[in-house]
Amino acid sequence: MNNKLSRFRILVLGVIVFNLSLLSCKNKETENKDNSSAAIDSTESNEPFFKLSLAQWSLEKPIHEGELDPVDFAEKAKELGFNGIEYVNQLYFDKYRNSNDPEAAFSQLLDTLKAKSEQFNVKNVLIMVDGEGDLAAIDDKDREDAVEKHKRWVDAAKFLGCHAIRVNLFGSDDEAEWRSNAVKGLTELSKYAATQKINVLVENHGGLSSNGKLLAEVMEEVDLPNCGTLPDFGNFCLRRKDGKMWGAECIEEYPTYQGIEEMLPYAKAVSAKTYEFDENGKETTLDIRRILKLIKESGYTGWIGVEYEGTDITPEEGILKTKELLLKEAKQL
């Protein structure tokens, strides 16, 4: 009798253990399915692969016409739905150069810009530097003077919390001479900028700086981690009529998409230049999706600055159309 009861108890216990084991497996299976679903869901996002900033040059017309004070840039950008801003230094020259004490006025300007960015909770991304000499100048003294003048903007970028300044490389029309001088100027400025943890970025901005292959060669020769490029969707004109730098018909242009692709391996910022839109909101002069595809394939995930330069609609309308188009096309990639 005791043996039968013992065997019965063992049998019941076995059934219970078996059922508990099945239940545990089912729970683990359910848990794994839940985790798998969560993982899949977490990859679904409407966020683009880049961050959007507003380039101040988009607003140069209202600024030059006195309709917008450049110190209110952060407020305007926030109003238009941007979380990052890219300053243009030449739009502030009148704020300090004509002062009785330019240095004090410059310092006060930076204090104001920093306070405004904090007030409206926007990120200071970079400063586009113009009018401070030629970093690829043929004359050594001119080039060294340009480097010294650019250091002011490296320090300003550091103070504002930017990650970079954008510079120009004009210089000679001779490729070998231009390359040599560009390397010298960039190397000297980038070494100083490294002490401030600021990047020095070259934009394709006319002349030989718009030759993507040549600019990539300069980047390779400089070979400093804080020296890079800022590919602009436009600005690939190599030569203009009558030898003019600006305001004249382009008579020789570098292939746009090729140039962007050649610059992207060194890119630390990007400018989304736009000019015209059709009734469906498409840019009529550039294939924005094609460009964004190149950018995404390069692995770039940083800031893309909206830079509208059209004339058919208001700057605000152009900015918003550019922003909308970038976000729309990014979803198709």
Side-chain angles (χ1 to χ4, degrees), residues 52-53 72-79 81-85 87 112-125 160 303:
L52 273 178
S53 50
D72 294 327
F73 178 39
E75 180 179 4
K76 188 66 175 178
K78 195 67 175 182
E79 177 187 312
F82 289 87
N83 296 317
I85 52 178
Y87 297 96
T112 301
L113 294 179
K114 187 172 184 178
K116 289 276 189 178
S117 65
E118 291 172 351
Q119 178 184 353
F120 295 100
N121 193 29
V122 294
K123 167 67 178 173
N124 294 322
V125 176
L160 292 173
W303 295 94

Side-chain angles (χ1 to χ4, degrees), residues 34-46:
D34 289 343
N35 288 339
S36 176
S37 298
I40 293 172
D41 291 342
S42 68
T43 64
E44 294 178 2
S45 172
N46 289 324

Side-chain angles (χ1 to χ4, degrees), residues 8-19:
F8 177 75
R9 286 175 176 174
I10 292 172
L11 178 62
V12 171
L13 180 62
V15 171
I16 292 172
V17 170
F18 179 73
N19 286 335

Side-chain angles (χ1 to χ4, degrees), residues 235-241 244 247-254:
N235 293 352
F236 279 101
C237 184
L238 296 170
R239 288 194 305 125
R240 295 186 181 276
K241 192 174 181 180
K244 292 184 178 180
E249 178 188 355
C250 183
I251 57 177
E252 184 182 358
E253 191 161 0
Y254 197 79

Side-chain angles (χ1 to χ4, degrees), residues 138-197:
I138 299 171
D139 182 80
D140 289 345
K141 187 178 183 305
D142 290 343
R143 190 175 58 253
E144 290 165 6
D145 182 60
V147 170
E148 288 304 310
K149 288 180 177 177
H150 278 75
K151 287 180 180 180
R152 165 197 289 269
W153 295 103
V154 170
D155 296 342
K158 174 72 172 180
F159 176 79
L160 292 173
C162 300
H163 79 89
I165 64 168
R166 183 278 277 144
V167 303
N168 299 304
L169 289 180
F170 299 127
S172 174
D173 292 331
D174 178 82
E175 289 191 7
E177 190 173 44
W178 178 85
R179 173 174 168 166
S180 175
N181 292 323
V183 169
K184 291 175 185 176
L186 271 183
T187 299
E188 188 174 350
L189 180 60
S190 297
K191 285 182 176 179
Y192 173 76
T195 68
Q196 303 300 312
K197 298 182 179 179

Side-chain angles (χ1 to χ4, degrees), residues 273-286:
K273 184 71 62 57
T274 56
Y275 304 95
E276 299 175 358
F277 297 91
D278 63 20
E279 62 278 7
N280 298 315
K282 287 279 189 179
E283 221 289 341
T284 60
T285 64
L286 293 161

